[in-house]
Amino acid sequence: MTTDTLTSPASRFDGTREEAERYDRTDPLGFLRDRFVHAEPDLLYLDGNSLGRLPADTPEFVADVIRGGWGRGLIRSWNDWIDWNRQIGDRLAEHVLGARPGEVVLSDSTTVNLYKLAWAALDHAPGRRALVVDADDFPTNRYVAQGLARQRGLELRVVHSDMDRGLDLEGLRAALDDQVALVVLSHVAYRSGALADMAAVNALAREAGALVLWDLSHAAGAVPVRLTEDGADLAVGCTYKYLNGGPGSPAFLYVRRSLQRRLRQPIQGWFGQRDQFAMGPDFDPVETVDRFLTGTPPMLSAAALVPALALTEEAGVDRLRAKGRLLGELAVDLAARRLAPLGFRLASPEDPDRRGSHVTLWHRDAWRICRALADEGVVCDYREPDRLRIGPSPAYTRFTDVWDALERTRRLVESGRHTRLPRAKARIT
């Protein structure tokens, strides 16, 4: 493992708060901030990559679905709701994922979708006996892969990517051969924010005859995803981070159109059935991506995505990416100027083109610093080992928020107040 030293070479920033204020005044996405709820105006919220803020229009929209759709319409409202999985999926495809209509649906959780698509991909290649995962990938992805490998008697090949810099293409190439059925990877690494080269990975896998299943949870809504252009086969992701769909909002799945009829899934539910309301005796899946649906969708949770997705569409992912990159560069620059003398080091790729929208810093006391920052009005995140994860969301985070948060961090660590807290770690979700 390597960890980059924080340095501040020739920079576009001068390190002053006045400069951050100038960026805020000229921010083309500044209008979006007031479209979100800020119940604590002084709170510096830098954990949008764990849970996005509540869009201001969401409570009333969901309340109307509850009062009008459920309360007044009752079962009659299903005529309005029944196609939401596909309708919202098509919006995600067009505005967020770079896919085509009919290739994305809203369904279940990320973990369940990952299991469904991984199972389908392995079932599609019964002669291949290996599955490739990244040792540093998000735990649920590794756990699902481990379970499937054990269940099917497959070889689980583990690629050991750099914890801070991300996936090494040559290491992946070495793990691929004609025995590999599936590769499971994240587009943006959950710990470091390292951004994988999707097109290059897909090309390597295709040469070996393997499929790739991408987890887009830390990418969707923050960086441009081009599933069609980059030749992606399969993908899953959540909607409660940069897409601001709310706690536990439904996940999505993507299946390339040419694969849909060739893959079958393990959870054969009635929402994937042809002529659903005929209530036939045997499972006969539809030919479209809807075959990967399972049971009755959670309509109240799905409803929260409607106004949230409208904000992403209005902003445009390219503009969100441009601002998110600049916020990250500011965080790295300020950390180099103010936090490096206090024992912080960069635990993300140095090149902003190789990062998603969050930045990770290493410090031997990162756990206690993260907890103490909460008392200072700064919400960020901790990840093992010894990493402080800073996740500004370009939809509502100001440049002054980043400046103030890092300044509060400097003052906290200089004072030593964080050392009053115990070192024991509580459970973090």
Side-chain angles (χ1 to χ4, degrees), residues 337-378:
R337 296 173 188 268
R338 299 170 180 274
L339 301 183
L342 302 174
F344 286 86
R345 293 179 291 179
L346 183 64
S348 293
E350 291 180 280
D351 182 354
D353 287 335
R354 292 275 295 110
R355 289 195 305 264
S357 275
H358 70 267
V359 170
T360 302
L361 304 175
W362 177 93
H363 191 282
R364 64 184 181 87
D365 243 352
W367 166 250
R368 292 199 288 184
I369 293 169
C370 185
R371 291 183 63 200
L373 279 172
D375 295 330
E376 304 286 330
V378 179

mmCIF file of all heavy atoms in Angstrom, residues 337-378:
data_model
loop_
_atom_site.group_PDB
_atom_site.id
_atom_site.type_symbol
_atom_site.label_atom_id
_atom_site.label_comp_id
_atom_site.label_asym_id
_atom_site.label_seq_id
_atom_site.Cartn_x
_atom_site.Cartn_y
_atom_site.Cartn_z
ATOM 1 N N ARG A 337 -2.019 22.619 2.138
ATOM 2 C CA ARG A 337 -1.558 23.849 2.788
ATOM 3 C C ARG A 337 -1.719 23.802 4.306
ATOM 4 O O ARG A 337 -0.839 24.252 5.046
ATOM 5 C CB ARG A 337 -2.344 25.055 2.264
ATOM 6 C CG ARG A 337 -2.172 25.376 0.793
ATOM 7 C CD ARG A 337 -3.145 26.474 0.381
ATOM 8 N NE ARG A 337 -3.173 26.723 -1.044
ATOM 9 C CZ ARG A 337 -2.418 27.635 -1.670
ATOM 10 N NH1 ARG A 337 -1.568 28.355 -0.963
ATOM 11 N NH2 ARG A 337 -2.532 27.799 -2.969
ATOM 12 N N ARG A 338 -2.846 23.251 4.779
ATOM 13 C CA ARG A 338 -3.223 23.435 6.182
ATOM 14 C C ARG A 338 -3.139 22.174 7.035
ATOM 15 O O ARG A 338 -2.985 22.271 8.252
ATOM 16 C CB ARG A 338 -4.646 23.989 6.252
ATOM 17 C CG ARG A 338 -4.791 25.346 5.577
ATOM 18 C CD ARG A 338 -6.238 25.778 5.431
ATOM 19 N NE ARG A 338 -6.316 27.078 4.774
ATOM 20 C CZ ARG A 338 -6.239 28.245 5.414
ATOM 21 N NH1 ARG A 338 -6.085 28.263 6.714
ATOM 22 N NH2 ARG A 338 -6.305 29.375 4.745
ATOM 23 N N LEU A 339 -3.292 21.011 6.392
ATOM 24 C CA LEU A 339 -3.376 19.785 7.183
ATOM 25 C C LEU A 339 -2.136 18.905 7.104
ATOM 26 O O LEU A 339 -1.909 18.083 7.997
ATOM 27 C CB LEU A 339 -4.593 18.969 6.750
ATOM 28 C CG LEU A 339 -5.950 19.668 6.872
ATOM 29 C CD1 LEU A 339 -7.070 18.709 6.476
ATOM 30 C CD2 LEU A 339 -6.175 20.190 8.280
ATOM 31 N N ALA A 340 -1.341 19.038 6.043
ATOM 32 C CA ALA A 340 -0.136 18.214 5.919
ATOM 33 C C ALA A 340 0.796 18.353 7.130
ATOM 34 O O ALA A 340 1.314 17.348 7.625
ATOM 35 C CB ALA A 340 0.604 18.553 4.630
ATOM 36 N N PRO A 341 1.016 19.570 7.664
ATOM 37 C CA PRO A 341 1.890 19.686 8.840
ATOM 38 C C PRO A 341 1.336 18.992 10.085
ATOM 39 O O PRO A 341 2.067 18.804 11.062
ATOM 40 C CB PRO A 341 1.971 21.209 9.053
ATOM 41 C CG PRO A 341 1.620 21.807 7.738
ATOM 42 C CD PRO A 341 0.596 20.897 7.153
ATOM 43 N N LEU A 342 0.055 18.608 10.047
ATOM 44 C CA LEU A 342 -0.583 17.978 11.204
ATOM 45 C C LEU A 342 -0.686 16.465 11.037
ATOM 46 O O LEU A 342 -1.380 15.800 11.814
ATOM 47 C CB LEU A 342 -1.977 18.579 11.402
ATOM 48 C CG LEU A 342 -2.021 20.096 11.618
ATOM 49 C CD1 LEU A 342 -3.453 20.594 11.662
ATOM 50 C CD2 LEU A 342 -1.283 20.468 12.891
ATOM 51 N N GLY A 343 -0.004 15.906 10.031
ATOM 52 C CA GLY A 343 0.047 14.461 9.894
ATOM 53 C C GLY A 343 -0.917 13.864 8.891
ATOM 54 O O GLY A 343 -1.057 12.641 8.827
ATOM 55 N N PHE A 344 -1.580 14.685 8.092
ATOM 56 C CA PHE A 344 -2.492 14.180 7.071
ATOM 57 C C PHE A 344 -1.727 13.867 5.778
ATOM 58 O O PHE A 344 -0.767 14.563 5.440
ATOM 59 C CB PHE A 344 -3.581 15.212 6.756
ATOM 60 C CG PHE A 344 -4.624 15.351 7.816
ATOM 61 C CD1 PHE A 344 -4.427 16.206 8.893
ATOM 62 C CD2 PHE A 344 -5.812 14.639 7.748
ATOM 63 C CE1 PHE A 344 -5.395 16.356 9.873
ATOM 64 C CE2 PHE A 344 -6.790 14.780 8.722
ATOM 65 C CZ PHE A 344 -6.576 15.639 9.790
ATOM 66 N N ARG A 345 -2.196 12.838 5.076
ATOM 67 C CA ARG A 345 -1.654 12.491 3.766
ATOM 68 C C ARG A 345 -2.805 12.150 2.822
ATOM 69 O O ARG A 345 -3.856 11.684 3.260
ATOM 70 C CB ARG A 345 -0.704 11.292 3.870
ATOM 71 C CG ARG A 345 0.578 11.588 4.642
ATOM 72 C CD ARG A 345 1.457 10.357 4.729
ATOM 73 N NE ARG A 345 0.866 9.337 5.590
ATOM 74 C CZ ARG A 345 1.425 8.151 5.826
ATOM 75 N NH1 ARG A 345 2.564 7.835 5.235
ATOM 76 N NH2 ARG A 345 0.848 7.274 6.623
ATOM 77 N N LEU A 346 -2.587 12.366 1.541
ATOM 78 C CA LEU A 346 -3.612 12.073 0.547
ATOM 79 C C LEU A 346 -3.746 10.570 0.367
ATOM 80 O O LEU A 346 -2.760 9.857 0.179
ATOM 81 C CB LEU A 346 -3.254 12.732 -0.783
ATOM 82 C CG LEU A 346 -4.274 12.584 -1.911
ATOM 83 C CD1 LEU A 346 -5.587 13.265 -1.558
ATOM 84 C CD2 LEU A 346 -3.704 13.167 -3.215
ATOM 85 N N ALA A 347 -4.988 10.075 0.408
ATOM 86 C CA ALA A 347 -5.267 8.649 0.210
ATOM 87 C C ALA A 347 -6.236 8.470 -0.964
ATOM 88 O O ALA A 347 -7.127 7.623 -0.929
ATOM 89 C CB ALA A 347 -5.828 8.031 1.483
ATOM 90 N N SER A 348 -6.071 9.292 -1.967
ATOM 91 C CA SER A 348 -6.835 9.265 -3.220
ATOM 92 C C SER A 348 -5.856 9.532 -4.353
ATOM 93 O O SER A 348 -4.752 10.032 -4.121
ATOM 94 C CB SER A 348 -7.920 10.349 -3.228
ATOM 95 O OG SER A 348 -8.927 10.099 -2.289
ATOM 96 N N PRO A 349 -6.231 9.230 -5.593
ATOM 97 C CA PRO A 349 -5.353 9.589 -6.709
ATOM 98 C C PRO A 349 -5.086 11.090 -6.749
ATOM 99 O O PRO A 349 -5.972 11.903 -6.482
ATOM 100 C CB PRO A 349 -6.151 9.137 -7.934
ATOM 101 C CG PRO A 349 -7.034 8.038 -7.422
ATOM 102 C CD PRO A 349 -7.408 8.459 -6.037
ATOM 103 N N GLU A 350 -3.862 11.455 -7.079
ATOM 104 C CA GLU A 350 -3.511 12.877 -7.167
ATOM 105 C C GLU A 350 -4.200 13.549 -8.358
ATOM 106 O O GLU A 350 -4.624 14.696 -8.267
ATOM 107 C CB GLU A 350 -1.996 13.030 -7.303
ATOM 108 C CG GLU A 350 -1.219 12.663 -6.054
ATOM 109 C CD GLU A 350 0.266 12.835 -6.274
ATOM 110 O OE1 GLU A 350 0.880 11.943 -6.872
ATOM 111 O OE2 GLU A 350 0.806 13.883 -5.848
ATOM 112 N N ASP A 351 -4.271 12.847 -9.465
ATOM 113 C CA ASP A 351 -4.855 13.393 -10.688
ATOM 114 C C ASP A 351 -6.371 13.502 -10.519
ATOM 115 O O ASP A 351 -7.052 12.494 -10.326
ATOM 116 C CB ASP A 351 -4.513 12.475 -11.860
ATOM 117 C CG ASP A 351 -5.035 12.983 -13.199
ATOM 118 O OD1 ASP A 351 -5.764 13.999 -13.225
ATOM 119 O OD2 ASP A 351 -4.722 12.341 -14.230
ATOM 120 N N PRO A 352 -6.935 14.711 -10.594
ATOM 121 C CA PRO A 352 -8.393 14.846 -10.424
ATOM 122 C C PRO A 352 -9.206 14.110 -11.474
ATOM 123 O O PRO A 352 -10.367 13.767 -11.223
ATOM 124 C CB PRO A 352 -8.623 16.366 -10.508
ATOM 125 C CG PRO A 352 -7.415 16.905 -11.210
ATOM 126 C CD PRO A 352 -6.279 16.008 -10.819
ATOM 127 N N ASP A 353 -8.612 13.825 -12.631
ATOM 128 C CA ASP A 353 -9.311 13.049 -13.655
ATOM 129 C C ASP A 353 -9.425 11.574 -13.265
ATOM 130 O O ASP A 353 -10.180 10.830 -13.884
ATOM 131 C CB ASP A 353 -8.602 13.157 -14.998
ATOM 132 C CG ASP A 353 -8.795 14.520 -15.635
ATOM 133 O OD1 ASP A 353 -9.806 15.180 -15.328
ATOM 134 O OD2 ASP A 353 -7.933 14.938 -16.428
ATOM 135 N N ARG A 354 -8.675 11.161 -12.258
ATOM 136 C CA ARG A 354 -8.698 9.782 -11.796
ATOM 137 C C ARG A 354 -9.491 9.619 -10.516
ATOM 138 O O ARG A 354 -9.463 8.566 -9.877
ATOM 139 C CB ARG A 354 -7.267 9.288 -11.582
ATOM 140 C CG ARG A 354 -6.474 9.141 -12.856
ATOM 141 C CD ARG A 354 -6.723 7.786 -13.497
ATOM 142 N NE ARG A 354 -6.221 6.708 -12.657
ATOM 143 C CZ ARG A 354 -6.975 5.830 -11.994
ATOM 144 N NH1 ARG A 354 -8.296 5.900 -12.072
ATOM 145 N NH2 ARG A 354 -6.434 4.886 -11.258
ATOM 146 N N ARG A 355 -10.208 10.684 -10.115
ATOM 147 C CA ARG A 355 -11.027 10.637 -8.903
ATOM 148 C C ARG A 355 -12.483 10.870 -9.242
ATOM 149 O O ARG A 355 -12.810 11.566 -10.199
ATOM 150 C CB ARG A 355 -10.623 11.734 -7.902
ATOM 151 C CG ARG A 355 -9.302 11.570 -7.210
ATOM 152 C CD ARG A 355 -9.224 12.508 -6.001
ATOM 153 N NE ARG A 355 -9.459 13.897 -6.324
ATOM 154 C CZ ARG A 355 -8.505 14.796 -6.565
ATOM 155 N NH1 ARG A 355 -7.242 14.439 -6.525
ATOM 156 N NH2 ARG A 355 -8.819 16.046 -6.844
ATOM 157 N N GLY A 356 -13.355 10.314 -8.413
ATOM 158 C CA GLY A 356 -14.762 10.681 -8.463
ATOM 159 C C GLY A 356 -14.949 12.001 -7.741
ATOM 160 O O GLY A 356 -14.092 12.883 -7.796
ATOM 161 N N SER A 357 -16.047 12.130 -6.996
ATOM 162 C CA SER A 357 -16.322 13.410 -6.334
ATOM 163 C C SER A 357 -15.970 13.418 -4.848
ATOM 164 O O SER A 357 -16.271 14.383 -4.174
ATOM 165 C CB SER A 357 -17.800 13.787 -6.498
ATOM 166 O OG SER A 357 -18.000 14.456 -7.725
ATOM 167 N N HIS A 358 -15.357 12.361 -4.336
ATOM 168 C CA HIS A 358 -14.910 12.444 -2.952
ATOM 169 C C HIS A 358 -13.402 12.282 -2.863
ATOM 170 O O HIS A 358 -12.765 11.713 -3.736
ATOM 171 C CB HIS A 358 -15.646 11.449 -2.044
ATOM 172 C CG HIS A 358 -15.320 10.005 -2.247
ATOM 173 N ND1 HIS A 358 -16.029 9.175 -3.087
ATOM 174 C CD2 HIS A 358 -14.368 9.226 -1.686
ATOM 175 C CE1 HIS A 358 -15.544 7.950 -3.035
ATOM 176 N NE2 HIS A 358 -14.519 7.950 -2.194
ATOM 177 N N VAL A 359 -12.858 12.847 -1.797
ATOM 178 C CA VAL A 359 -11.417 12.855 -1.536
ATOM 179 C C VAL A 359 -11.184 12.223 -0.167
ATOM 180 O O VAL A 359 -11.931 12.490 0.782
ATOM 181 C CB VAL A 359 -10.859 14.295 -1.555
ATOM 182 C CG1 VAL A 359 -9.423 14.331 -1.045
ATOM 183 C CG2 VAL A 359 -10.946 14.880 -2.961
ATOM 184 N N THR A 360 -10.150 11.406 -0.066
ATOM 185 C CA THR A 360 -9.859 10.722 1.185
ATOM 186 C C THR A 360 -8.489 11.135 1.698
ATOM 187 O O THR A 360 -7.520 11.217 0.931
ATOM 188 C CB THR A 360 -9.920 9.200 0.986
ATOM 189 O OG1 THR A 360 -11.217 8.852 0.492
ATOM 190 C CG2 THR A 360 -9.675 8.457 2.284
ATOM 191 N N LEU A 361 -8.423 11.394 2.997
ATOM 192 C CA LEU A 361 -7.184 11.773 3.656
ATOM 193 C C LEU A 361 -6.839 10.741 4.721
ATOM 194 O O LEU A 361 -7.719 10.286 5.459
ATOM 195 C CB LEU A 361 -7.314 13.153 4.318
ATOM 196 C CG LEU A 361 -7.748 14.316 3.416
ATOM 197 C CD1 LEU A 361 -7.949 15.576 4.253
ATOM 198 C CD2 LEU A 361 -6.725 14.557 2.315
ATOM 199 N N TRP A 362 -5.569 10.401 4.812
ATOM 200 C CA TRP A 362 -5.105 9.484 5.849
ATOM 201 C C TRP A 362 -4.589 10.282 7.042
ATOM 202 O O TRP A 362 -3.905 11.301 6.880
ATOM 203 C CB TRP A 362 -3.980 8.599 5.323
ATOM 204 C CG TRP A 362 -3.407 7.668 6.377
ATOM 205 C CD1 TRP A 362 -3.798 6.396 6.623
ATOM 206 C CD2 TRP A 362 -2.363 7.965 7.312
ATOM 207 N NE1 TRP A 362 -3.063 5.858 7.661
ATOM 208 C CE2 TRP A 362 -2.177 6.809 8.103
ATOM 209 C CE3 TRP A 362 -1.585 9.091 7.562
ATOM 210 C CZ2 TRP A 362 -1.228 6.742 9.125
ATOM 211 C CZ3 TRP A 362 -0.640 9.038 8.584
ATOM 212 C CH2 TRP A 362 -0.468 7.878 9.352
ATOM 213 N N HIS A 363 -4.923 9.810 8.233
ATOM 214 C CA HIS A 363 -4.331 10.321 9.470
ATOM 215 C C HIS A 363 -4.424 9.213 10.500
ATOM 216 O O HIS A 363 -5.428 8.486 10.552
ATOM 217 C CB HIS A 363 -5.079 11.568 9.968
ATOM 218 C CG HIS A 363 -4.377 12.290 11.078
ATOM 219 N ND1 HIS A 363 -4.394 11.855 12.386
ATOM 220 C CD2 HIS A 363 -3.622 13.426 11.053
ATOM 221 C CE1 HIS A 363 -3.686 12.694 13.129
ATOM 222 N NE2 HIS A 363 -3.210 13.658 12.348
ATOM 223 N N ARG A 364 -3.402 9.047 11.305
ATOM 224 C CA ARG A 364 -3.403 7.932 12.258
ATOM 225 C C ARG A 364 -4.516 8.048 13.285
ATOM 226 O O ARG A 364 -4.912 7.063 13.897
ATOM 227 C CB ARG A 364 -2.048 7.836 12.965
ATOM 228 C CG ARG A 364 -1.702 9.032 13.842
ATOM 229 C CD ARG A 364 -0.309 8.901 14.429
ATOM 230 N NE ARG A 364 0.026 10.029 15.285
ATOM 231 C CZ ARG A 364 -0.274 10.075 16.583
ATOM 232 N NH1 ARG A 364 -0.918 9.067 17.152
ATOM 233 N NH2 ARG A 364 0.054 11.122 17.307
ATOM 234 N N ASP A 365 -5.065 9.256 13.461
ATOM 235 C CA ASP A 365 -6.171 9.459 14.391
ATOM 236 C C ASP A 365 -7.463 9.828 13.655
ATOM 237 O O ASP A 365 -8.323 10.518 14.211
ATOM 238 C CB ASP A 365 -5.820 10.580 15.375
ATOM 239 C CG ASP A 365 -5.748 10.072 16.814
ATOM 240 O OD1 ASP A 365 -6.114 8.896 17.045
ATOM 241 O OD2 ASP A 365 -5.341 10.839 17.695
ATOM 242 N N ALA A 366 -7.607 9.349 12.430
ATOM 243 C CA ALA A 366 -8.746 9.763 11.610
ATOM 244 C C ALA A 366 -10.085 9.444 12.264
ATOM 245 O O ALA A 366 -11.041 10.221 12.138
ATOM 246 C CB ALA A 366 -8.666 9.090 10.238
ATOM 247 N N TRP A 367 -10.177 8.322 12.972
ATOM 248 C CA TRP A 367 -11.448 7.959 13.602
ATOM 249 C C TRP A 367 -11.876 9.002 14.630
ATOM 250 O O TRP A 367 -13.013 9.480 14.609
ATOM 251 C CB TRP A 367 -11.322 6.582 14.257
ATOM 252 C CG TRP A 367 -12.426 6.256 15.202
ATOM 253 C CD1 TRP A 367 -12.360 6.149 16.561
ATOM 254 C CD2 TRP A 367 -13.809 6.025 14.876
ATOM 255 N NE1 TRP A 367 -13.589 5.850 17.097
ATOM 256 C CE2 TRP A 367 -14.487 5.769 16.083
ATOM 257 C CE3 TRP A 367 -14.519 6.005 13.684
ATOM 258 C CZ2 TRP A 367 -15.853 5.500 16.123
ATOM 259 C CZ3 TRP A 367 -15.876 5.729 13.724
ATOM 260 C CH2 TRP A 367 -16.529 5.478 14.929
ATOM 261 N N ARG A 368 -10.962 9.363 15.514
ATOM 262 C CA ARG A 368 -11.325 10.344 16.547
ATOM 263 C C ARG A 368 -11.541 11.727 15.941
ATOM 264 O O ARG A 368 -12.408 12.479 16.397
ATOM 265 C CB ARG A 368 -10.241 10.386 17.623
ATOM 266 C CG ARG A 368 -10.191 9.100 18.446
ATOM 267 C CD ARG A 368 -9.474 9.292 19.759
ATOM 268 N NE ARG A 368 -8.034 9.439 19.593
ATOM 269 C CZ ARG A 368 -7.183 9.539 20.621
ATOM 270 N NH1 ARG A 368 -7.631 9.516 21.868
ATOM 271 N NH2 ARG A 368 -5.891 9.650 20.412
ATOM 272 N N ILE A 369 -10.792 12.064 14.901
ATOM 273 C CA ILE A 369 -10.987 13.356 14.236
ATOM 274 C C ILE A 369 -12.379 13.414 13.621
ATOM 275 O O ILE A 369 -13.092 14.420 13.752
ATOM 276 C CB ILE A 369 -9.901 13.573 13.166
ATOM 277 C CG1 ILE A 369 -8.534 13.741 13.838
ATOM 278 C CG2 ILE A 369 -10.229 14.791 12.296
ATOM 279 C CD1 ILE A 369 -7.362 13.704 12.872
ATOM 280 N N CYS A 370 -12.790 12.344 12.963
ATOM 281 C CA CYS A 370 -14.117 12.311 12.338
ATOM 282 C C CYS A 370 -15.211 12.494 13.384
ATOM 283 O O CYS A 370 -16.170 13.260 13.185
ATOM 284 C CB CYS A 370 -14.300 10.998 11.595
ATOM 285 S SG CYS A 370 -15.836 10.882 10.662
ATOM 286 N N ARG A 371 -15.098 11.819 14.501
ATOM 287 C CA ARG A 371 -16.102 11.941 15.565
ATOM 288 C C ARG A 371 -16.096 13.338 16.174
ATOM 289 O O ARG A 371 -17.162 13.919 16.432
ATOM 290 C CB ARG A 371 -15.833 10.902 16.657
ATOM 291 C CG ARG A 371 -16.086 9.467 16.226
ATOM 292 C CD ARG A 371 -15.863 8.514 17.373
ATOM 293 N NE ARG A 371 -16.796 8.762 18.455
ATOM 294 C CZ ARG A 371 -16.594 8.355 19.722
ATOM 295 N NH1 ARG A 371 -15.480 7.716 20.040
ATOM 296 N NH2 ARG A 371 -17.493 8.601 20.645
ATOM 297 N N ALA A 372 -14.922 13.882 16.391
ATOM 298 C CA ALA A 372 -14.839 15.215 16.989
ATOM 299 C C ALA A 372 -15.345 16.289 16.029
ATOM 300 O O ALA A 372 -15.927 17.294 16.473
ATOM 301 C CB ALA A 372 -13.397 15.505 17.397
ATOM 302 N N LEU A 373 -15.145 16.096 14.744
ATOM 303 C CA LEU A 373 -15.637 17.071 13.775
ATOM 304 C C LEU A 373 -17.151 17.199 13.824
ATOM 305 O O LEU A 373 -17.707 18.275 13.582
ATOM 306 C CB LEU A 373 -15.192 16.686 12.361
ATOM 307 C CG LEU A 373 -13.760 17.066 11.977
ATOM 308 C CD1 LEU A 373 -13.396 16.441 10.630
ATOM 309 C CD2 LEU A 373 -13.581 18.582 11.927
ATOM 310 N N ALA A 374 -17.840 16.109 14.144
ATOM 311 C CA ALA A 374 -19.297 16.175 14.247
ATOM 312 C C ALA A 374 -19.715 17.179 15.311
ATOM 313 O O ALA A 374 -20.722 17.885 15.161
ATOM 314 C CB ALA A 374 -19.862 14.797 14.561
ATOM 315 N N ASP A 375 -18.949 17.263 16.383
ATOM 316 C CA ASP A 375 -19.241 18.248 17.434
ATOM 317 C C ASP A 375 -18.874 19.660 17.007
ATOM 318 O O ASP A 375 -19.315 20.627 17.632
ATOM 319 C CB ASP A 375 -18.475 17.888 18.717
ATOM 320 C CG ASP A 375 -18.948 16.570 19.324
ATOM 321 O OD1 ASP A 375 -20.131 16.240 19.151
ATOM 322 O OD2 ASP A 375 -18.121 15.880 19.951
ATOM 323 N N GLU A 376 -18.069 19.776 15.946
ATOM 324 C CA GLU A 376 -17.678 21.082 15.410
ATOM 325 C C GLU A 376 -18.602 21.513 14.273
ATOM 326 O O GLU A 376 -18.357 22.511 13.605
ATOM 327 C CB GLU A 376 -16.232 21.024 14.895
ATOM 328 C CG GLU A 376 -15.208 20.579 15.905
ATOM 329 C CD GLU A 376 -14.902 21.661 16.931
ATOM 330 O OE1 GLU A 376 -15.000 22.852 16.570
ATOM 331 O OE2 GLU A 376 -14.575 21.308 18.073
ATOM 332 N N GLY A 377 -19.657 20.726 14.024
ATOM 333 C CA GLY A 377 -20.585 21.062 12.950
ATOM 334 C C GLY A 377 -20.111 20.662 11.573
ATOM 335 O O GLY A 377 -20.547 21.248 10.576
ATOM 336 N N VAL A 378 -19.235 19.647 11.496
ATOM 337 C CA VAL A 378 -18.736 19.152 10.207
ATOM 338 C C VAL A 378 -19.061 17.666 10.118
ATOM 339 O O VAL A 378 -18.606 16.878 10.950
ATOM 340 C CB VAL A 378 -17.214 19.348 10.067
ATOM 341 C CG1 VAL A 378 -16.731 18.786 8.717
ATOM 342 C CG2 VAL A 378 -16.848 20.817 10.195
#
